[in-house]
Amino acid sequence: MLIKTLRAAWLALGLAMMMLGSPPAHAAADTAICYNCPPEWADWGTQLQAIAADIGVHVPPDSKNSGQSLSALSAERHNPMADVVYYGVTFGIQAAEQGLVQPYKPAHWDAIPDGMKDPEGKWFAVHSGTLGFMVNVDALHGVPVPQSWRDLLKPEYRTMVGYLDPGSAFVGYVAAVAVNRALGGTLDDFTPAIEWFQKLQANSPIVPRQTAYARVLSGEIPILLDYDFNAYRARYQDHTNVRFVIPQEGTISVPYVMSLVADDPNPTAARNVLDYVLSDKGQAIWADAYLRPVRANAISQRALRRFLPASDYARADTVDYAKMAAAQRGFAKRYAAEVQ
């Protein structure tokens, strides 16, 4: 009964959104539930508006993070509420392994590079980002902009550093993998990352569980371990004095992926949404928000000119994402036991 009530509530919200902006006459109005599609993250706000306007599918915003989305899919396994899900690649791999998603090869499937998609279509990349420091320069009040992972441990950055919970949010786990790799660790040994997080606790870091973009813009969190696309958006769209720093010791780049939920309630609308985010327009929306679209030719020269130089991005590596997924639970347990 609770599941049906919640599903009805989602549909009611979708209908309310339809009242605000009716779909074109040639498109059939419909609703698809997407887990982890918050308007303030990765410019999902523009993406959801475009989906409604262009194909008549209304997708209510959802503020779960990747881990919460995976947990919800697992809890709803026998009575799914969601149609599609967006999450970090390691969570997509786990969802496929747990049988929570089903194969679907959307339009432009062949344009997705190998390694950025499950061969059966259980998950596929839509864009990627590079992890670094999103710094509100004004909120530092004269303290130098940090340039390295070790800088963040200095006492002058006390109460200034934030990172999302690495046991739940994908970006938090990416930060852990990045600092671990930069300081000599491997996906088999997270000791360097654990020791770094332990030392960081002396600086009283801020550890939110949800997207913290607005808190950086307000200056509440002067330095956030986050992606390049959020920093560029803050600087060029929200006109905040924000800089993006790729730490001197190195970092990693990772894809975000989407999946079709197993036994989803509204498969036609769901497939249309997945086709759309890989379309020319869907990919261009993310490119204009400074994400690296999985279809590389979708990014404009204007957007590229606002990225840091290629010499800085040379410090960003990729990793074995399947192995990264396999190591995630073990790291989360260590973090909970040794850091929190």
Side-chain angles (χ1 to χ4, degrees), residues 282-297:
Q283 289 281 283
I285 287 170
W286 274 324
D288 288 343
Y290 311 107
L291 298 105
R292 299 274 185 174
V294 71
R295 294 176 57 200
N297 60 356

Side-chain angles (χ1 to χ4, degrees), residues 197-230:
F197 279 113
Q198 288 171 337
K199 293 175 183 176
L200 186 63
Q201 300 314 298
N203 270 354
S204 300
I206 304 166
V207 189
R209 295 185 66 85
Q210 305 288 2
T211 301
Y213 179 84
R215 297 174 70 179
V216 178
L217 267 59
S218 70
E220 180 186 351
I221 302 177
I223 305 165
L224 183 67
L225 306 187
D226 205 350
Y227 295 114
D228 51 355
F229 55 82
N230 277 332

Side-chain angles (χ1 to χ4, degrees), residues 118-188:
D118 171 69
E120 296 180 4
K122 293 181 180 179
W123 57 265
F124 50 86
V126 293
H127 67 74
S128 61
T130 296
L131 194 286
F133 309 159
M134 179 179 175
V135 183
N136 183 327
V137 178
D138 294 338
L140 294 180
H141 301 295
V143 176
V145 173
Q147 298 298 314
S148 69
W149 292 106
R150 291 181 175 88
D151 280 350
L152 299 184
L153 303 179
K154 296 177 179 179
E156 54 260 46
Y157 298 106
R158 181 176 173 81
T159 73
M160 289 188 177
V161 180
Y163 62 91
L164 268 65
D165 179 4
S168 178
F170 180 64
V171 63
Y173 180 51
V174 172
V177 173
V179 68
N180 189 63
R181 182 182 178 91
L183 299 183
T186 69
L187 292 172
D188 295 315

Side-chain angles (χ1 to χ4, degrees), residues 3 7 35 73 76-82 261-265:
I3 295 295
R7 178 72 185 176
Y35 280 172
L73 294 181
E76 298 158 7
R77 177 190 297 271
H78 301 297
N79 195 354
M81 291 176 59
V261 176
D263 300 320
D264 69 296

